Amino acid sequence: MFGSDDIAIDLGTASVLCVIKGKGIVLREPAVVAVDKATRGILAVGEDARLLLGRTPGDIQTIRPVRDGVIVDFEMAEIMLHYFIRKAVGTHYMIKPRVVISVPSVISTVERRAVGEAVRMAGARSIQVVEHPLSAALGTGLPVYEPEGSLVVDIGGGTSEIAVISLGGL
């Protein structure tokens, strides 16, 4: 009750996936936030916001804070990540979770830092940012630290990546 679960997040363009060790996938929701245009108040996040896509009146806007695997709206990404982290680990935890988050391998250092900062502000105790192909290889049990190459194809909703991984590097 007083501890926290370590959580892995796949921050995708179309959806966000959260995994907790020993529990598996605990959350899979669209990367969408619904906002009141006048007040900038959050009306819905994830699946609830997706249901509003294309059906919103003029005063409600649906925002996709991630485009091509990169955060394009920092404030909305932070709100979305905070919601997903709390939903995945629950609100009863007093200690902030450690978070591993996967991002495209082609993002810049500034974009990588922005992702880490958004996760920190969303409530993480510590953050490790990992490239999508490496996290996919680790998740499938490939020998990523061996002196042999492993080909990984990561097909996402907004980007797809192909990488050869050997000795822990891309």
Side-chain angles (χ1 to χ4, degrees):
M1 176 173 195
F2 295 103
S4 77
D5 288 316
D6 295 339
I7 184 170
I9 301 173
D10 179 8
L11 182 63
T13 301
S15 62
V16 176
L17 193 73
C18 295
V19 176
I20 294 179
K21 187 175 182 179
K23 295 180 182 178
I25 298 171
V26 293
L27 182 134
R28 179 180 303 175
E29 293 208 25
V32 183
V33 180
V35 179
D36 183 313
K37 283 183 180 179
T39 65
R40 289 290 282 176
I42 305 304
L43 302 174
V45 178
E47 182 61 28
D48 295 336
R50 186 195 67 79
L51 293 173
L52 296 175
L53 280 172
R55 299 184 185 112
T56 57
D59 60 337
I60 298 174
Q61 177 183 19
T62 51
I63 299 171
R64 291 189 171 274
V66 179
R67 188 172 301 126
D68 297 330
V70 178
I71 293 176
V72 292
D73 186 329
F74 185 83
E75 179 186 4
M76 291 302 125
E78 177 194 335
I79 289 166
M80 181 181 73
L81 285 167
H82 184 269
Y83 174 83
F84 289 152
I85 289 170
R86 287 293 125 218
K87 190 169 180 180
V89 299
T91 56
H92 60 279
Y93 287 97
M94 295 180 73
I95 299 173
K96 297 177 177 183
R98 294 184 302 178
V99 176
V100 173
I101 187 161
S102 66
V103 297
S105 58
V106 295
I107 67 171
S108 70
T109 305
V110 173
E111 292 166 332
R112 188 180 183 96
R113 220 175 295 129
V115 170
E117 183 64 15
V119 173
R120 186 189 65 74
M121 293 181 75
R125 175 175 77 215
S126 68
I127 301 108
Q128 182 69 38
V129 180
V130 179
E131 293 88 0
H132 282 312
L134 183 58
S135 65
L138 289 168
T140 58
L142 289 174
V144 297
Y145 297 107
E146 300 299 317
E148 59 186 56
S150 296
L151 179 66
V152 176
V153 179
D154 178 26
I155 301 172
T159 60
S160 295
E161 295 184 72
I162 300 173
V164 175
I165 300 174
S166 179
L167 296 171
L170 298 179

